[in-house]
Amino acid sequence: MSKPSILIIDDDESITATVSRFLRAHGYPVAVANDGADALAEARSGAHPIIISDIYIDQVTGLDVLEAARDANRNATVILMTARGSVRTTVEAEMQGAFEYVAKPFELSRLLAVIERAEAARAEPEAASHEEDLQQFGNIVGFSPAMVEVYKRIARCARSEDAVLIIGETGVGKELVARAIHEHSRRASGPFVAVDSGAVTGSLWESEVFGAMRGAFTGADRDRPGVIETARGGVVFFDEIGEIPLDFQPKLLRFLQEKEFRPVGCGAPRKADVRVIAATNRALEAMVKQGKFREDLYYRLNVLQIDVPPLRERRSDISFLVKHFLEGATAAAQKRIWLTAEAISALEQYTWPGNVRQLQNTISKLVALSPPGPVSVADVREAIAAAPVGPGDETGTADEEEISDLDELERRQILRVLEETGGNKTRAAEILGIQRRTLYKKLARMGREDGGQR
């Protein structure tokens, strides 16, 4: 069986040359376009069943190519690639029918696997189209491959009505992900109601979530709607779902199964069209085994899952986040402040146990306390060393806020990671987000060539 013709589009000729050479070696006929005009002409020809296009070409974008290809051949398979993925481009690509969205740099073997999957999919019945209008997106910043995967998950979860469980450490931005799902979904015009599960006491859960009728208990002088009633037609977001007490979990499970609830003091059940999104920084599977979380509720919540990576696993995003937070903080403070290259480098090297939230707080502190002008690496070191890791940030230690030197903080973090990995330097370097030879240099400088092994 002959292989389909593939069109490769990128303004970087080295990329099109490398990819085309690789695909030809695997038996594919290949055509190449290195500018927007040629790309659109080739896409409109309908001659290429599979198109691989960069998202940013020149005045033409990969989304323009996608539209042209689908107009010429609604069965065209378009794979988009980019080094600068975002929520907007990823969701637009998903909604307009892109087959896959690949973050640069990528292994050629991975691209081949995507193409082979595309070939297999072309033999399947055509999927239903999605023509929802795209609205303004949330405040998520990140272009790393790890975040591109999150964006793809957001887009796919937005097209579903199933429950979503968002997993990630404290401070990674789980609520932003939940809001992005809502904003991209058909429920976008409906309410988004967030519940801080850790802030609700055990006795108040039922009235907080389902509401209460007048006279249901002392002080109930009027009917009080709960979050389910308030969120009709929209989304309820349960942040830190692992904090929900066991005795309330069966009632939440019933609502998830039946979309039915009973306010406190009400004799008849009520129905509500509400989607549930939950988030946790706890290991719910372990809690299930310990009898601290119902297994049936866990599976009902975990229909769709998004894992949000910690900041230390997407260090390439730190400079973009710094720019984003700095613009907001300087505008609010009406100050002209910028960070030196050395200061940004120091921020990129830190492991951020409090994740994006800790980074944002650090930038806010620097702007608030610094005079107009440049922020030095010394200023950054002082701000990081003095910053407490918030309660619930399990990856930090209590005495870190007393450390006055960033080098000492880095030393402790390296040793802690090495201890956690049993002295495995390769794994430790991956967790720290640095190359192995860089770790060796740091260990040598620390006088710990043994890598912390005792």
Side-chain angles (χ1 to χ4, degrees):
M1 183 176 177
S2 61
K3 292 183 177 291
S5 172
I6 298 178
L7 171 63
I8 305 167
I9 303 168
D10 200 301
D11 56 1
D12 187 335
E13 293 185 11
S14 65
I15 290 178
T16 55
T18 300
V19 174
S20 61
R21 188 164 51 246
F22 174 79
L23 293 180
R24 286 187 182 114
H26 284 80
Y28 290 94
V30 175
V32 168
N34 294 117
D35 63 60
D38 288 346
L40 288 178
E42 289 284 355
R44 288 169 180 154
S45 73
H48 311 287
I50 297 178
I51 298 175
I52 303 170
S53 176
D54 190 29
I55 196 77
Y56 299 109
I57 307 166
D58 40 39
Q59 291 85 358
V60 173
T61 71
L63 296 175
D64 297 325
V65 171
L66 172 60
E67 183 179 4
R70 299 288 292 213
D71 285 345
N73 176 9
R74 61 181 307 180
N75 295 318
T77 298
V78 179
I79 300 164
L80 297 176
M81 53 185 178
T82 185
R84 292 284 300 273
S86 68
V87 176
R88 178 174 293 279
T89 56
T90 307
V91 173
E92 287 183 352
E94 286 282 339
M95 295 299 189
Q96 292 183 29
F99 179 76
E100 184 58 282
Y101 193 102
V102 181
K104 296 177 180 177
F106 52 81
E107 296 290 337
L108 289 172
S109 57
R110 185 192 169 206
L111 180 62
L112 180 61
V114 173
I115 292 169
E116 290 173 343
R117 183 157 52 86
E119 287 187 83
R122 289 176 62 80
E124 297 296 324
E126 186 178 355
S129 62
H130 300 275
E131 299 178 353
E132 294 88 346
D133 291 334
L134 297 170
Q135 307 297 326
Q136 184 174 352
F137 300 111
N139 200 24
I140 302 177
V141 175
F143 307 109
S144 62
M147 287 307 295
V148 170
E149 291 303 313
V150 171
Y151 299 153
K152 289 194 290 189
R153 283 280 184 172
I154 288 172
R156 291 164 189 173
C157 290
R159 298 206 301 261
S160 172
E161 281 293 296
D162 290 321
V164 183
L165 181 62
I166 304 169
I167 297 173
E169 295 177 6
T170 297
V172 295
K174 296 187 290 293
E175 183 170 343
L176 288 178
V177 171
R179 288 184 180 277
I181 293 170
H182 173 58
E183 289 164 5
H184 305 155
S185 74
R186 70 170 184 83
R187 295 177 178 270
S189 61
F192 179 96
V193 182
V195 179
D196 181 357
S197 302
V200 182
T201 60
S203 61
L204 295 179
W205 264 103
E206 194 166 358
S207 60
E208 178 73 18
V209 176
F210 298 143
M213 306 300 292
R214 178 181 178 181
F217 47 80
T218 303
D221 55 354
R222 56 185 175 83
D223 291 348
R224 180 179 180 276
V227 295
I228 297 296
E229 189 75 42
T230 306
R232 280 184 180 272
V235 166
V236 171
F237 171 59
F238 289 100
D239 194 14
E240 301 309 339
I241 192 76
E243 301 297 328
I244 290 184
L246 268 172
D247 59 355
F248 180 71
Q249 290 179 22
K251 297 172 183 178
L252 180 59
L253 175 64
R254 177 170 178 78
F255 174 73
L256 286 166
Q257 290 174 332
E258 308 296 336
K259 297 297 182 185
E260 186 176 274
F261 69 101
R262 191 190 301 268
V264 177
C266 182
R270 297 178 179 177
K271 292 278 189 178
D273 174 27
V274 172
R275 186 182 189 185
V276 171
I277 301 176
T280 183
N281 67 352
R282 302 178 68 179
L284 291 187
E285 287 184 344
M287 292 179 66
V288 168
K289 292 177 181 177
Q290 296 164 4
K292 296 179 180 178
F293 200 87
R294 288 180 63 105
E295 184 176 25
D296 47 6
L297 178 58
Y298 170 70
Y299 287 119
R300 178 63 66 172
L301 289 168
N302 195 27
V303 179
L304 302 173
Q305 181 176 310
I306 298 179
D307 292 282
V308 186
L311 193 53
R312 63 181 174 274
E313 292 180 7
R314 55 183 188 106
R315 291 179 182 274
S316 60
D317 289 333
I318 290 177
S319 61
F320 297 103
L321 286 161
V322 168
K323 181 177 183 293
H324 175 72
F325 294 141
L326 190 62
E327 286 176 352
T330 53
Q334 296 185 326
K335 286 183 179 179
R336 186 170 181 267
I337 289 175
W338 63 93
L339 274 68
T340 65
E342 293 79 8
I344 294 175
S345 178
L347 293 171
E348 290 175 328
Q349 292 169 16
Y350 186 51
T351 56
W352 298 108
N355 292 293
V356 179
R357 184 182 303 149
Q358 186 188 7
L359 174 60
Q360 182 176 14
N361 291 342
T362 299
I363 298 301
S364 297
K365 178 187 295 185
L366 286 168
V367 170
L369 300 180
S370 300
V375 174
S376 69
V377 65
D379 297 326
V380 166
R381 289 178 174 177
E382 182 179 355
I384 291 177
V389 178
D393 292 340
E394 301 88 343
T395 52
T397 57
D399 63 346
E400 279 179 344
E401 57 185 298
E402 300 175 2
I403 300 171
S404 59
D405 188 278
L406 184 58
D407 292 334
E408 172 63 9
L409 197 60
E410 179 184 67
R411 187 186 74 83
R412 294 192 183 193
Q413 290 161 346
I414 289 173
L415 296 181
R416 184 167 64 233
V417 171
L418 280 167
E419 184 176 13
E420 292 172 354
T421 61
N424 185 321
K425 297 183 183 68
T426 300
R427 178 63 184 142
E430 290 175 355
I431 294 173
L432 290 165
I434 58 179
Q435 295 184 354
R436 188 171 59 175
R437 63 175 177 271
T438 303
L439 176 59
Y440 278 116
K441 289 179 182 177
K442 290 180 181 292
L443 290 172
R445 190 165 61 244
M446 289 160 49
R448 290 294 301 251
E449 288 83 359
D450 63 347
Q453 300 180 73
R454 294 175 174 82

